[in-house]
């Protein structure tokens, strides 16, 4: 569960990105975050995995208070949150297998169990046969699927995706959506910032629209609501 109350974020340069956000997201929800460029979507997302701290207000994620959380406890929070970005952020000189294996935090398990888990998630995203490839040898959609495999390898309760289909063509975007829906069906909360009107209006989910740092709309099975 994610709960924000009266959240403001002003960056050191004086730009106020969030202007009083109140929101509650339950475990297992699928939420699109939409809104114009610069509205505060990425900032909203960064607050959840404590990439940024709010200037004011309270944030609770999975019963952890992110304001009083100590730096040494941040890795424990992040272990339970997978993050996927528009530009994939894979390690270019490592194989698909290694990119996913590096994220695996379970150290008590045997190498055999770790290998099994990595191959299991690669299978889930349809890339078992490309485990030995490096990112450059993959299409954009395949690279994003590696990034998703890496994000879910530790069985997080929450998967955050900031414009995951922003660099992908429509067909590839639908493939990514099918994978995200499958992950959501297994109980994982999904929060996805997107500019895709087609996706939001076709695969109906909760829509939170952020405009000028405020929640302008919050609708169950909502519409995208902007022309582009
Ligand atoms: N690290 C930062 N430092 C200063 N200003 C920032 C930073 N990140 C974002 N901003 C500003 O905060 C506002 C909201 O940005 P962002 O959250 O990235 O919006 P969105 O993802 O909706 O495009 C914008 O005006 C942006 O320029
Ligand atoms: Mg953004």
């Amino acid at each position: 569960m994610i709960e924000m109350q009266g959240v403001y974020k002003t960056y050191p340069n004086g730009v106020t990105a969030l202007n009083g956000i109140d929101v509650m997201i339950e475990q297992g929800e699928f939420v699109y975050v939409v809104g114009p460029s610069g509205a505060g979507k990425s900032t909203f997302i960064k607050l959840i995995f404590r990439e940024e701290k709010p200037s004011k207000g309270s944030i609770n994620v999975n019963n952890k208070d992110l304001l009083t959380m100590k730096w040494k406890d941040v890795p424990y929070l992040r272990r339970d949150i997978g993050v996927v970005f528009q530009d994939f952020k894979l390690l270019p000189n490592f194989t698909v297998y290694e990119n996913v294996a590096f994220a695996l935090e379970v150290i008590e398990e045997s190498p055999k169990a770790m290998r099994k888990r990595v191959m299991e998630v690669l299978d889930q995203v349809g890339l078992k046969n490309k485990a030995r490839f490096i990112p450059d040898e993959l299409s954009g959609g395949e690279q994003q699927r590696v990034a998703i495999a890496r994000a879910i390898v530790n069985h997080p309760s929450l998967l955050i995706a900031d414009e995951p289909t922003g660099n992908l063509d429509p067909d590839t975007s639908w493939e990514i959506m099918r994978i995200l829906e499958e992950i959501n069906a297994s109980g994982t909360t999904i929060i996805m910032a997107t500019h895709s009107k087609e996706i939001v209006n076709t695969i109906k989910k909760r829509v939170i629209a952020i405009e000028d740092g405020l929640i302008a709309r919050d609708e169950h099975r909502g519409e995208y609501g902007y022309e582009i």
Side-chain angles (χ1 to χ4, degrees), residues 112-202:
K112 198 175 157 196
M114 288 170 65
R115 183 172 170 80
K116 180 166 171 278
R117 178 59 188 153
V118 174
M119 291 315 287
E120 196 173 83
V121 277
L122 285 179
D123 193 25
Q124 198 176 340
V125 300
L127 286 176
K128 214 165 131 181
N129 58 343
K130 300 217 165 152
R132 291 170 184 276
F133 286 46
I134 58 165
D136 262 358
E137 297 170 326
L138 303 178
S139 69
E142 288 172 334
Q143 291 186 51
Q144 192 60 298
R145 286 191 271 148
V146 177
I148 292 171
R150 177 182 61 185
I152 61 171
V153 72
N154 289 310
H155 300 283
S157 69
L158 168 62
L159 180 63
I160 295 178
D162 196 351
E163 302 196 35
T165 64
N167 284 345
L168 305 176
D169 60 59
D171 284 353
T172 310
S173 299
W174 292 114
E175 279 173 33
I176 296 295
M177 289 310 297
R178 263 199 305 278
I179 293 169
L180 294 182
E181 281 201 279
E182 222 177 87
I183 294 167
N184 178 241
S186 73
T188 309
T189 309
I190 308 241
I191 300 178
M192 169 177 162
T194 183
H195 281 287
S196 173
K197 181 179 173 177
E198 292 71 30
I199 289 174
V200 174
N201 290 351
T202 306

Side-chain angles (χ1 to χ4, degrees), residues 9-18 33-46 52 162-163 193 195 210 213:
K9 175 65 185 180
T10 301
Y11 284 106
N13 65 355
V15 173
T16 296
L18 295 176
V33 179
V34 303
S37 286
K41 302 181 297 296
S42 293
T43 301
F44 174 77
I45 276 177
K46 284 174 184 168
E52 294 286 349
D162 196 351
E163 302 196 35
H195 281 287
I210 300 183

